[in-house]
Amino acid sequence: MGNITFTMIKPEAVEAKNTGAILKRIEIAGFRIVAMKKVHLTAERAAKFYEVHNEKPFYNELVEYMSGGPIIAAILEKDDAVASFRELIGATNPADAKEGTIRAEFAESLSKNAVHGSDSDENAHIESSFHFSDDERF
């Protein structure tokens, strides 16, 4: 069990002005924001971040979508952070997300599901380091 996870509030949720409401839900759930920034990923940065999926049919669409507008990137801290955050955000498909989860409330669709959450402790560290240097973490 790790104590950090990584999240991104995705372009459509930022555009819909849901950033504040999502961050409030995260803090109310007991997460401490270790690092946070608003950034517009280039297609190259989005491709690098998602290169684990580069053989999948949705890869190009995902890269285009994630570079289509600003995102909020953040490192979150809490005991058992990855599992706790995945419970808070809900199922990837918002139609399957439990009531009260972030995706149930803010996601538009399976592909536009409002937030990213790391799926393992290892990926939480990799994803966090992709977006933040050590001197950007507090």
Side-chain angles (χ1 to χ4, degrees):
M1 292 189 312
N3 68 341
I4 69 160
T5 193
F6 175 78
T7 189
M8 288 186 290
I9 301 175
K10 295 182 177 182
E12 82 284 356
V14 172
E15 185 179 345
K17 298 178 176 43
N18 290 327
T19 301
I22 292 170
L23 290 171
K24 183 176 180 179
R25 297 277 298 278
I26 290 168
E27 289 191 312
I28 287 172
F31 289 90
R32 186 176 80 80
I33 298 172
V34 173
M36 183 172 64
K37 62 184 164 187
K38 186 176 190 177
V39 63
H40 192 141
L41 295 174
T42 63
E44 293 77 20
R45 290 276 294 162
K48 179 83 172 145
F49 184 80
Y50 286 107
E51 75 181 348
V52 67
H53 299 299
N54 69 356
E55 297 295 322
K56 296 183 179 159
F58 60 82
Y59 175 73
N60 289 333
E61 183 180 323
L62 177 62
V63 168
E64 183 178 332
Y65 157 59
M66 289 303 294
S67 60
I71 56 104
I72 305 295
I75 301 172
L76 308 174
E77 183 179 67
K78 183 180 181 178
D79 288 341
D80 199 16
V82 170
S84 294
F85 191 65
R86 292 190 69 80
E87 185 175 327
L88 176 66
I89 64 175
T92 302
N93 184 344
D96 299 330
K98 292 180 184 173
E99 187 175 332
T101 62
I102 289 172
R103 287 179 173 152
E105 185 171 344
F106 298 104
E108 293 179 15
S109 65
L110 175 60
S111 60
K112 293 183 176 182
N113 59 13
V115 291
H116 165 86
S118 299
D119 62 3
S120 68
D121 290 337
E122 179 183 6
N123 283 338
H125 287 280
I126 292 168
E127 294 169 353
S128 295
S129 294
F130 182 88
H131 286 277
F132 295 97
S133 64
D134 287 342
D135 64 349
E136 294 177 297
R137 302 172 191 213
F138 302 95

